[in-house]
Amino acid sequence: MAERISEREAEVLAALGARLSNAQIANRLHISVRTVESHVSSLLRKYGMADRWALAELARAGEREPGRVAGLPVSGTTFVGRAAERAAVLAAVEQARLVTLLGPGGVGKTRLAAVAAEEAVALFPSGGAFVDLVPVRDGFVARAVATTLGVTEGSHQPLEEAVAARLGTGRSLLVLDNCEHVIDEAAAFAERILAACPGTRVLVTSRERLGIPGERSVPIAPLPLGSDAERLFRDRALAADPEFVADPAVVADLCARLDGMPLAIELAAARGASLGPTGLLAALDDALRLLSGVRGGDERHRSLRAVLSWSYDLLDEEEQALFRRLGVFVGAFDLDAATAVGGDRAGVADLLGRLVDKSLVVHVRGRVSRWRLLETVRAFALAQMSAAGEEDKTRAHHLRWAAGAASATEARIGDSTWREDFDAMAADLRAALAAAGGPGEVTHRLASALAHLTYARRHLLESYAHHRTAAAVAPDAASAARDLRAGAGCAHVSTTSNQHVYEFLLEAAEQAARAGDDRGRAIDLARAVETACRYPEAFETGVPYERLRGLLDEAVSAAPADDPKVAAHLAVARAWLAGPVKGAPDPALAATALATTRAAADPVLVSSGLCAAGTAALHAGRLREADRVTRERLALLPSMDRDDPYCAPEICNTYGRACIYAIMTGDLPGAMAAARAGIDDDLLRDTHITASRLVQPLALTGRFHDAIEHAERMLDQWERAGRPAPLWMLPAVSLTVLASAMLDEPEPTAVARWRAHAAEMAGGTLGTAPVAAFVDARLALHDERYGTAEPLVRRAFTVDAPLDNYLAYARAAGAELAVAADLPDAADLLAAAAPLAEENAWAAACLARARGRLHDDRAELARALTAFQRLDAQAESAHTRALLAHR
């Protein structure tokens, strides 16, 4: 078994999950920082992880012990035999990264895989997941893995990237059980995980190989006769009837006729109490004779079909009827679900108990009792349902149950157990929707509820698809319009293109027009115009001004009079459309829009009005005003429903703008707070995007080790995703160069590596990037490389990007370097940098320090120290104190 963690280590782990530093943990637990460091080192060793970020991820996922394999099935029966196979599987998992247990249905692959996974936990301190793919249909393999791991999508983070980020934190084991019906998708998923997560091993059970290079196959045969097969039979027969006695020769004959197949043996043994050993043998002989004319296929399948057939024939009519109808459920089902297809609740409960006793149904114990059919048994039940001519009727009952269950669970969103209950039924909800026919009230109710549930569960891309489906099957235009509006908000966070948001809104407007809903149509059109003008960088193809002007005119024509919300949407759209360029609203109209949205008293609308006002202030150079307005947007976020897609665009945009504007104004505490809040919001989550925002204030405040740690995590997630290097990540990477070089004991190779990443991301534009000019000037000052200062200073003053986050930093750092290097025009450069510093507190503090150096003015240096301390800029404060000490 993996090492357990102590109570104190558990406390440290929880604190890591809360993103506390070592000093903060020490203060909270009343221990020394050195003791915290010792506990962190111990946790890293026990979990087999490289950094504290990975530990924090585990803590946030609720995992408290090394080696926990989520989803590992718990069996109520003993495991018999298989010693050689267990050893072979464990050896294979140690030696190969992909191991497939091969064998026919009913041979015991799942049980062996579960036992092997439990025994292998010591090899995988980062734990992993055991994922049952039986209820999973094409397109949902990654979703099943994510659900078992407790992983959700973040904004613009595909699900497979989130899974890879979780599994890639250390040595993990992923078990994919029953892959044959989704073999191609399972193979592709396993290959991607193996490529992205070097410490992960994948154990697969299937009737065929995945066909991936490096795959190690372990054939699983039936239990050997004369030993394990008979032991299994006696064990299960005694469980059914403690007084069971049988002649060993009869048991051996039974097991031989059952070809040693574990599932067939268990089904037969369950009948031991009622038929006795000789009765079992006679019944099996009869069943095998009925199948004697069947040709082809594995003989072991013939014996299993025989056992299933006579087990079914021995059921009474009520038992048979319920058994075959239960085949419609692809996953586990509760009593309400079984009653929906089986009839009277009390009668169904009794019948379920009888079917469990006969080993045809498995009871899954938990907070809510559920039952399921094993894969092979379910296939037999479905065949019987079809033969009885009940398939259409049963599937109709299944659809009605699914719609009702989804609606009931939707009404419970927010309570403590809804996620667990949704996860348990999700596969059946999806299956019922996939099997449904065309438009209709029941189908629409299911699709609409499923869209909302998957959004609240943060299955964002799936929710996006369900919103589209709901609109397609809606019984009326008004319902379709509502689904499309919600889909627009979902598209904003689930796709990388706001073109989809725009298109959803236009379709919603068309449906609203069909429904005679002028109010809804006006709002949809106004929102479409706002989207195209506010997020032009997120459109593959720009929408011409004339087209947007026409849409806004249509909205105005449709708008009812004296409706505050409609007026607010129109005002926001007008402001963005009338701006000098897309992405920049008209200042006067933005002010009007803000006043109009405040009158509407909708926090989402007010936030959109504030965004217009803040962006107008930004383009006018009033950075502090833009930052202040965005802080007001942050204050609105708690009033927005995280489970309503309508709120999503404002939530995501607010966090991003808050970080950017705070950096632009030098408000480092504000940038830090906004970045941490974004990471903690489950709509955005810990992704490379949110991590990149946090790296910047960490580096600027002198928390260099934390900045580097988050930057490593950011880059790891991005590289694991296999995407090309993005330009927007350049500020975070450049500031990691700064952090690496300003450590007390910098590592030249690390600095060079981060410089190479910055050059790659800049794509040839590094020389004109203000952030790179700032970093180079600040490092020359730090290293006192004054002989090479002049070209760095000139570069800091020639880069020209008025709205760049780091222009003020570059100018200020360049001016201070000019002073330190005694450049003849240092005073002129100080004056040239001053206008930008009026809107940036960090730059103002830097220039105060530069003036103190230039004029040997202790008062200026003291003012600079106070300003840097107010910004919590630790490294800059220390540097300023050192200057004061030498004056």
Side-chain angles (χ1 to χ4, degrees), residues 494-577:
S494 62
T495 68
T496 57
S497 170
N498 268 332
Q499 194 104 30
H500 299 299
V501 180
Y502 172 79
E503 290 166 357
F504 261 90
L505 290 168
L506 291 186
E507 289 182 49
E510 290 179 13
Q511 294 293 343
R514 291 192 182 96
D517 177 12
D518 289 339
R519 180 181 187 275
R521 180 175 173 232
I523 291 174
D524 294 333
L525 290 170
R527 290 180 63 199
V529 172
E530 176 194 354
T531 299
C533 297
R534 184 175 168 185
Y535 307 105
E537 71 285 353
F539 274 67
E540 291 94 349
T541 306
V543 185
Y545 172 84
E546 293 74 17
R547 168 65 171 155
L548 296 174
R549 178 73 259 173
L551 292 175
L552 185 56
D553 288 344
E554 286 183 43
V556 171
S557 298
D562 301 324
D563 187 311
K565 284 195 175 183
V566 174
H569 280 290
L570 291 174
V572 171
R574 283 194 193 96
W576 285 103
L577 184 61

Side-chain angles (χ1 to χ4, degrees), residues 650-667:
E650 291 306 319
I651 293 171
C652 294
N653 181 262
T654 296
Y655 283 124
R657 293 294 99 186
C659 292
I660 290 172
Y661 293 173
I663 291 289
M664 294 181 80
T665 60
D667 176 15

Side-chain angles (χ1 to χ4, degrees), residues 283-295:
L284 181 58
D285 281 340
D286 289 342
L288 286 170
R289 273 195 298 273
L290 289 173
L291 292 175
S292 61
V294 177
R295 295 186 177 276

